[in-house]
Amino acid sequence: MSEKINDLSSIEDWKQRDIFSIRILALLKAYGISYPFAVFYVQRIDDTITALISRLDGDYTISTTPQADEEELAQFLLVAGYSSIICDSTLSLFPKYDEGIIMKSDKKIEFSLGDATVDEYPKLMDLYNFIDYNSQDFKAWYVDISHRIRHSTAKAYTLCKEGVVVSSGILSAIADGYSILSAVRTENEYRGCGYGSALVSYICSDVKGTVYLMRDEGMNEDFYKRLGFEDIGKWRMFK
């Protein structure tokens, strides 16, 4: 049975720290359980948590154990309604989905920034424009990412050369020494010069523990493997 979390102590027994758990736990740390747009659930079977679930507006993240009741989760999501669901590829909740690769790294690789400098507190408007979120409203993005940064559950980085942003990266979720890397981009004219590699290496060395990321299948595999990442599974998104 899936039920809303009303007491944080109720999930103290959840020890799983896969990429989906980190997304959920970072969101929970940032917003708590008092906001109507950020809601958290657990599925319990015989008093044991078998799934941890978050909803941010209509977007769900699900982390499951092998004992999770997939049929019950699908029914819960149909009744609740959703815009998107992201989870491990072992879940076959509905017929149509997209898939990609999950990678992780525990390595801290030496790097050289050369003639560039890292800004760990970039202006978020500049970062938004650089990343080019053409499908996301700036105000909603700004309110969310700035709130997460203030609560130490996210961190943004830009690499600049002579005052110009040439590369970017965001740790979009940070929890329990784990983090998730996203929004990695290098300006076209600076690609192949090592700036993206230097920034990703800097970011991974800036945090403790494991760094996860999600990438599209067939995209950027060699780039991340050179930086110490390895493929560990697949993500699946239902829309």
Side-chain angles (χ1 to χ4, degrees):
M1 176 180 177
S2 296
E3 57 191 42
K4 184 179 177 182
I5 296 173
N6 294 308
D7 181 358
L8 295 181
S9 65
S10 65
I11 61 168
E12 289 178 351
D13 291 339
W14 183 262
K15 304 302 182 184
Q16 197 156 287
R17 294 297 182 267
D18 62 320
I19 189 172
F20 309 106
S21 291
I22 297 308
R23 279 174 61 100
I24 296 167
L25 294 172
L27 185 65
L28 183 58
K29 182 180 177 183
Y31 287 103
I33 55 176
S34 60
Y35 290 89
F37 55 82
V39 186
F40 305 87
Y41 307 88
V42 293
Q43 181 191 76
R44 293 183 185 275
I45 298 177
D46 297 330
D47 293 325
T48 299
I49 300 176
T50 54
L52 187 63
I53 307 162
S54 69
R55 173 176 65 81
L56 182 62
D57 294 322
D59 298 319
Y60 286 80
T61 300
I62 303 176
S63 178
T64 59
T65 70
Q67 293 74 38
D69 185 335
E70 187 173 319
E71 184 176 344
E72 193 274 336
L73 286 174
Q75 184 62 35
F76 164 76
L77 292 161
L78 283 173
V79 172
Y82 63 90
S83 299
S84 70
I85 304 163
I86 192 156
C87 58
D88 189 81
S89 63
T90 56
L91 287 182
S92 300
L93 298 169
F94 307 110
K96 295 182 179 180
Y97 53 82
D98 295 321
E99 276 190 348
I101 305 298
I102 302 169
M103 304 186 81
K104 77 167 187 177
S105 175
D106 301 304
K107 297 179 180 178
K108 312 301 178 187
I109 296 177
E110 291 186 10
F111 57 91
S112 172
L113 298 176
D115 57 354
T117 58
V118 174
D119 187 351
E120 296 187 12
Y121 303 95
K123 294 180 180 179
L124 293 182
M125 173 63 86
D126 293 343
L127 182 59
Y128 176 86
N129 290 334
F130 181 78
I131 296 171
D132 190 20
Y133 286 106
N134 56 13
S135 63
Q136 188 166 0
D137 175 69
F138 169 73
K139 184 177 180 180
W141 176 86
Y142 176 86
V143 169
D144 181 47
I145 193 67
S146 60
H147 183 90
R148 291 172 185 253
I149 290 172
R150 287 196 305 273
H151 288 78
S152 301
T153 60
K155 190 170 182 179
Y157 304 79
T158 55
L159 189 69
C160 302
K161 180 180 179 181
E162 298 176 349
V164 176
V165 176
V166 300
S167 191
S168 70
I170 296 177
L171 293 176
S172 55
I174 303 170
D176 294 345
Y178 298 81
S179 54
I180 300 174
L181 179 63
S182 61
V184 175
R185 179 180 179 269
T186 299
E187 190 68 71
N188 289 343
E189 64 183 284
Y190 294 101
R191 292 179 182 175
C193 301
Y195 292 117
S197 297
L199 182 60
V200 170
S201 297
Y202 180 97
I203 294 171
C204 291
S205 297
D206 190 45
V207 295
K208 298 185 299 182
T210 300
V211 178
Y212 290 109
L213 63 84
M214 291 184 285
R215 63 173 177 83
D216 293 332
E217 196 157 6
M219 296 290 291
N220 302 318
E221 180 177 6
D222 291 340
F223 172 79
Y224 286 114
K225 284 188 173 180
R226 286 198 305 270
L227 299 175
F229 285 85
E230 61 179 329
D231 295 342
I232 60 168
K234 290 187 176 183
W235 55 264
R236 180 169 288 181
M237 179 174 282
F238 302 88
K239 290 185 176 181

